[in-house]
Amino acid sequence: MIRLNEKKIIEDMIVFYCKKNHLSDEDYLCINCKNLLEYSINKLKKCKYVNKPVCSNCTVHCYQKNYRNEIIKVMKFSGFNYLIKHPYIGIKFILKKIFKI
Ligand SMILES: [Zn+2]
């Protein structure tokens, strides 16, 4: 079961990152970011935890290293902006629930 909220957050962050860094427009992500988004969403779909444990307790290292590095970059760039727009979500949620870092 995919978690719509998390999917939306990841999508928003990657779109924002790509727009600012790779000069793509709203509807079109560059190939790298498109791959990253697909990869992340796939991971969400496959995650076996309904209520994810925090990263330090998670037994599944689900992000491959290169994707993991990419998603961390995206999050550092987009995270702050995202929090200003959606302060109710909170950085802990983003860090632990989604990216498991
Ligand atoms: Zn991009």
Side-chain angles (χ1 to χ4, degrees):
M1 183 183 87
I2 189 148
R3 301 162 197 73
L4 285 176
N5 239 3
E6 296 176 9
K7 181 171 172 279
K8 181 85 178 81
I9 292 169
I10 287 184
E11 198 175 339
D12 283 353
M13 282 193 171
I14 293 177
V15 167
F16 180 76
Y17 176 82
C18 192
K19 214 163 64 172
K20 298 289 179 189
N21 288 279
H22 309 142
L23 306 175
S24 59
D25 62 46
E26 291 277 353
D27 305 315
Y28 181 79
L29 290 173
C30 76
I31 189 72
N32 285 340
C33 292
K34 198 168 178 290
N35 285 342
L36 183 65
L37 180 61
E38 274 170 16
Y39 182 83
S40 303
I41 288 175
N42 245 336
K43 287 294 176 194
L44 275 183
K45 280 188 203 156
K46 284 185 192 157
C47 182
K48 65 178 178 176
Y49 297 107
V50 176
N51 296 305
K52 291 186 193 181
V54 294
C55 61
S56 53
N57 296 330
C58 190
T59 54
V60 182
H61 297 288
C62 69
Y63 275 75
Q64 277 170 23
K65 205 168 179 228
N66 53 336
Y67 282 110
R68 194 183 158 88
N69 289 340
E70 276 304 301
I71 204 79
I72 289 171
K73 258 198 271 173
V74 169
M75 209 202 53
K76 277 184 182 155
F77 185 85
S78 302
F80 186 66
N81 177 275
Y82 201 87
L83 284 178
I84 290 171
K85 282 202 231 158
H86 309 277
Y88 53 91
I89 288 177
I91 192 72
K92 275 191 181 169
F93 175 85
I94 293 169
L95 287 173
K96 291 183 177 172
K97 285 272 196 178
I98 299 178
F99 298 108
K100 298 183 182 170
I101 52 178

